[in-house]
Amino acid sequence: MKLLSATVLFLSSPRVFAIYEVTYHSSPLAVQPLTILYRDPSYDPDNTTLFLVSPTGTAIEQPAPAIYDSTGQLVCQWADPAIGNTNDLNLQMYAGKPVLTMWVGPGNPGAGPEVGDGTAQIYDETYSLVANISAVNGAGGTDFHEFQIVQPENTSAIVTAYNEVPADLSSIGGPVQGWYLNTMFQEIDIASGRVLFNWSAFDHIPLSETQITLNDSTNGTTPETPFDAVHINSVDKDTDGHYLVSGRHTWTLYKVNATDGNIIWRLGGNNSSFANTTADASFFWQHHARWQGADTVTVFDDGAAGFGQVPPTIVVTEPYASGKMLQLNEQNKTFELVKRFVPSHGLSPAPSLAEGSVEVYGSQVVVGYGSNPWITVHDLATQKVLFSAVIGPNNSSLWHGAISNYRAFQTTKSVFVGQPKTSPSIAVESGTVYVSWNGATQVDRYALSTGKTASKADHLLRTVTRTGFETEMSATGSLGYMQVVALAADGKVLGWTAIVSTA
Ligand SMILES: *[C@@H]1O[C@H](CO)[C@@H](O)[C@H](O)[C@H]1NC(C)=O
Ligand SMILES: *[C@@H]1O[C@H](CO)[C@@H](O)[C@H](O)[C@H]1NC(C)=O
Ligand SMILES: *[C@@H]1O[C@H](CO)[C@@H](O)[C@H](O)[C@H]1NC(C)=O
Ligand SMILES: *[C@@H]1O[C@H](CO)[C@@H](O)[C@H](O)[C@H]1NC(C)=O
Ligand SMILES: *[C@@H]1O[C@H](CO)[C@@H](O)[C@H](O)[C@H]1NC(C)=O
Ligand SMILES: *[C@@H]1O[C@H](CO)[C@@H](O)[C@H](O)[C@H]1NC(C)=O
Ligand SMILES: *[C@@H]1O[C@H](CO)[C@@H](O)[C@H](O)[C@H]1NC(C)=O
Ligand SMILES: *[C@@H]1O[C@H](CO)[C@@H](O)[C@H](O)[C@H]1NC(C)=O
Ligand SMILES: *[C@@H]1O[C@H](CO)[C@@H](O)[C@H](O)[C@H]1NC(C)=O
Ligand SMILES: *[C@@H]1O[C@H](CO)[C@@H](O)[C@H](O)[C@H]1NC(C)=O
Ligand SMILES: *[C@@H]1O[C@H](CO)[C@@H](O)[C@H](O)[C@H]1NC(C)=O
Ligand SMILES: *[C@@H]1O[C@H](CO)[C@@H](O)[C@H](O)[C@H]1NC(C)=O
């Protein structure tokens, strides 16, 4: 167990937010709604887009990854206390197939002090576990800040890990015999678990680069309160085979040589190898740095940071958070802002205190605002907002603590085909039949049949188009027992519920 900071938000209020949760008749799930604030008419006309999110915080009963569609309906939630808490749901490719990836472990990534003591897991489209990735020699196994399957081979993954190490912190006003939270990343072969590359901030980044002070993020006096000087929160690999490492607490992206581990250059922060050409090219407390071609990087610029003490220390460095696309000029050693993705249409730009993401998705860009549990989708060319939504109700008192979301990703029902091994669920209450199927993405309609015994319900009563996570239909005409069959658009039978009594 380690004390951490950064993604730790503020657990000061009791769990009083259950009133906002959406509940169902046919499922025990209780989830926050996805509230749509704006949908451009051109955006997702067939409603096939899916959002992958991992909400956490005091308003979240069980931190669990979830999939919503672009109408705001839940498609899937893993509310399984047996697997612990989860973070960073994403769709990646493994063994030639689309897979869901996430971090799983003890501790609540958004609302508690423990982080990182888990594993990175890969699930197939039937929601079955296919692989675990465990960091080696990290104090608490795999940390939840990064889990990227390395393209194009897709046979290895990059994960983060932490170790507390003794360190002389006197140069920044701390103890000579102090403790440092060493933030590491490892590239691991998924099949064998072998570490292919191992790198740590302590070995390469001087203390002088930190932008935090002692006590912002623990004071370094004991192994339980190690000083988190760098805080690696994303790692990407470029086509040269080198790494792009984001240090939240140094405001810097590091290009790390995959052969010798040396830092090739720094972008941003205290000792940047590239000069900003304009003030708005700079970024602060950033997350989710990704290459977009040879000299272009996207990054979520939080513009602010919140640290875990109660009351929290909040450092606001810029007026608002945004997704940024930056162009590096290797010849002149400058960098410039080429695109900026800013919320609009129901959301006012504001700083984010933690977390966040920017995903280039075809001709669109998906921005997740972390401690502001917002999602915006932009046109890549014009930067215009096409879609704007909030996880939870449209209520700002729930932001920065009650609901936050580490990263937001987009996919579609044609890429990810969720085929759970469970059966659809049915409930009959007061003359109404309710049916749902957690995780199924292909259901177009449900056929309701009835019968006189618990062993057979083969008299078709009606077929009803699926309307969302839960579809309801009249129980009129029941002969005593009922069953629902889930059908795809082409009429293929996908699954069926148990036969239940309507008495
Ligand atoms: C969301 O809340 C804000 C602030 O209360 C309000 O201005 C806005 O109209 C709301 N938007 C929607 C779509 O409810
Ligand atoms: C998509 O969803 C919107 C909003 O719920 C709805 O108005 C529209 O009819 C849907 N389109 C299709 C093709 O189902
Ligand atoms: C690796 O994954 C990427 C997308 O995540 C995909 O484009 C590529 O085809 C995959 N490569 C292999 C060998 O599966
Ligand atoms: C993954 O790890 C869990 C917990 O340690 C274990 O139960 C499971 O068998 C592992 N699965 C695979 C596919 O490695
Ligand atoms: C990775 O590096 C860290 C820091 O130097 C070290 O403590 C750890 O043992 C290394 N892990 C492996 C698997 O080499
Ligand atoms: C930045 O670097 C200079 C020396 O290069 C140092 O004096 C300063 O304390 C560093 N840190 C910050 C946060 O500016
Ligand atoms: C950290 O906080 C403690 C308690 O408030 C205080 O005594 C100490 O001086 C602070 N240390 C630093 C380096 O700010
Ligand atoms: C450091 O933090 C710990 C835990 O909050 C506290 O008990 C201790 O007094 C602090 N020490 C200093 C020198 O600030
Ligand atoms: C990476 O490290 C290797 C071994 O030290 C060195 O030969 C190579 O030039 C370095 N690459 C870059 C881009 O610095
Ligand atoms: C700044 O980075 C350069 C390498 O780019 C390094 O040689 C130098 O020591 C660094 N300066 C400070 C003050 O850390
Ligand atoms: C670079 O960014 C810093 C911090 O935002 C700003 O103070 C400075 O003016 C910028 N430089 C240029 C050339 O705009
Ligand atoms: C570098 O700067 C020089 C002088 O301003 C300019 O002529 C040249 O085009 C620049 N190179 C690039 C690649 O931008």
Side-chain angles (χ1 to χ4, degrees):
M1 290 289 168
K2 294 175 296 291
L3 232 210
L4 201 79
S5 54
T7 37
V8 176
L9 295 177
F10 322 114
L11 231 177
S12 49
S13 355
R15 292 177 176 276
V16 296
F17 302 113
I19 49 171
Y20 299 115
E21 286 174 344
V22 180
T23 57
Y24 305 98
H25 300 266
S26 57
S27 163
L29 296 181
V31 301
Q32 291 291 343
L34 180 72
T35 304
I36 313 293
L37 301 178
Y38 176 70
R39 240 183 104 115
D40 189 89
S42 70
Y43 180 72
D44 192 26
D46 300 329
N47 299 333
T48 54
T49 290
L50 299 172
F51 291 102
L52 310 176
V53 296
S54 310
T56 58
T58 52
I60 304 294
E61 297 269 336
Q62 168 77 35
I67 304 174
Y68 290 88
D69 68 21
S70 70
T71 73
Q73 287 282 335
L74 184 74
V75 172
C76 177
Q77 195 209 42
W78 267 278
D80 181 0
I83 63 169
N85 292 322
T86 51
N87 199 41
D88 197 17
L89 181 68
N90 195 359
L91 186 92
Q92 305 194 62
M93 289 282 283
Y94 178 60
K97 297 211 172 77
V99 289
L100 294 172
T101 59
M102 61 183 172
W103 175 89
V104 174
N108 177 341
E114 312 87 20
V115 298
D117 302 347
T119 55
Q121 300 196 332
I122 299 178
Y123 290 82
D124 66 16
E125 290 174 292
T126 70
Y127 301 93
S128 303
L129 182 64
V130 292
N132 290 325
I133 295 107
S134 293
V136 180
N137 297 347
T142 307
D143 165 65
F144 59 71
H145 284 87
E146 184 60 273
F147 178 11
Q148 193 182 28
I149 297 179
V150 178
Q151 295 179 29
E153 298 85 1
N154 308 336
T155 55
S156 62
I158 298 171
V159 297
T160 45
Y162 286 84
N163 269 342
E164 303 83 18
V165 294
D168 179 351
L169 302 176
S170 57
S171 65
I172 52 164
V176 173
Q177 292 182 311
W179 289 88
Y180 177 101
L181 186 64
N182 193 13
T183 170
M184 312 186 280
F185 77 87
Q186 299 180 342
E187 181 174 345
I188 295 176
D189 179 72
I190 297 169
S192 67
R194 199 162 57 89
V195 176
L196 306 175
F197 187 77
N198 180 48
W199 193 87
S200 94
F202 187 69
D203 297 335
H204 296 280
I205 299 174
L207 264 182
S208 61
E209 288 183 34
T210 194
Q211 298 289 343
I212 64 170
T213 54
L214 287 157
N215 280 2
D216 270 351
S217 177
T218 64
N219 59 25
T221 55
T222 68
E224 289 73 41
T225 60
F227 182 62
D228 188 12
V230 175
H231 196 96
I232 294 175
N233 61 17
S234 76
V235 184
D236 196 16
K237 200 169 180 180
D238 65 24
T239 48
D240 303 339
H242 300 306
Y243 300 95
L244 183 71
V245 181
S246 166
R248 178 192 193 245
H249 295 174
T250 57
W251 301 347
T252 304
L253 307 183
Y254 301 88
K255 180 160 166 134
V256 169
N257 188 324
T259 306
D260 60 15
N262 287 333
I263 294 172
I264 297 170
W265 50 243
R266 291 163 168 84
L267 180 68
N270 201 18
N271 189 16
S272 184
S273 314
F274 298 83
N276 53 341
T277 47
T278 56
D280 59 10
S282 301
F283 47 84
F284 308 90
W285 315 107
Q286 79 287 341
H287 286 76
H288 199 227
R290 290 289 189 257
W291 282 115
Q292 311 293 342
D295 293 313
T296 306
V297 170
T298 50
V299 67
F300 182 72
D301 178 8
D302 291 69
F307 296 101
Q309 296 92 341
V310 177
T313 308
I314 294 176
V315 185
V316 177
T317 313
E318 277 180 302
Y320 57 90
S322 59
K324 289 185 172 176
M325 184 176 275
L326 305 171
Q327 182 86 39
L328 280 59
N329 185 328
E330 289 270 4
Q331 188 187 14
N332 288 348
K333 293 287 175 267
T334 56
F335 70 104
E336 62 175 321
L337 179 74
V338 287
K339 287 181 193 290
R340 188 171 193 177
F341 303 97
V342 181
S344 64
H345 292 84
L347 293 172
S348 304
S352 288
L353 305 186
E355 313 181 330
S357 58
V358 183
E359 178 193 32
V360 175
Y361 183 88
S363 63
Q364 297 173 349
V365 173
V366 183
V367 183
Y369 296 80
S371 66
N372 283 314
W374 312 339
I375 301 169
T376 56
V377 183
H378 303 251
D379 182 272
L380 171 61
T382 64
Q383 297 151 71
K384 196 180 104 170
V385 171
L386 302 174
F387 176 86
S388 166
V390 176
I391 301 172
N394 179 24
N395 180 339
S396 61
S397 72
L398 301 179
W399 303 342
H400 301 307
I403 305 176
S404 64
N405 178 48
Y406 187 60
R407 291 173 179 170
F409 295 106
Q410 188 176 265
T411 186
T412 77
K413 290 181 182 179
S414 55
V415 173
F416 173 71
V417 180
Q419 298 171 288
K421 288 185 165 166
T422 55
S423 297
S425 306
I426 185 171
V428 185
E429 288 168 22
S430 316
T432 301
V433 179
Y434 300 90
V435 61
S436 61
W437 197 2
N438 191 13
T441 61
Q442 291 172 289
V443 180
D444 176 69
R445 55 194 186 269
Y446 290 109
L448 173 68
S449 357
T450 188
K452 286 182 181 155
T453 69
S455 59
K456 204 164 160 193
D458 60 357
H459 176 72
L460 179 68
L461 277 178
R462 57 191 61 89
T463 299
V464 172
T465 301
R466 180 186 177 280
T467 53
F469 184 80
E470 185 170 73
T471 298
E472 48 177 277
M473 54 193 115
S474 166
T476 303
S478 174
L479 300 175
Y481 292 88
M482 284 186 152
Q483 183 178 38
V484 172
V485 176
L487 301 167
D490 64 4
K492 185 180 159 212
V493 172
L494 299 171
W496 48 88
T497 69
I499 299 177
V500 296
S501 165
T502 54

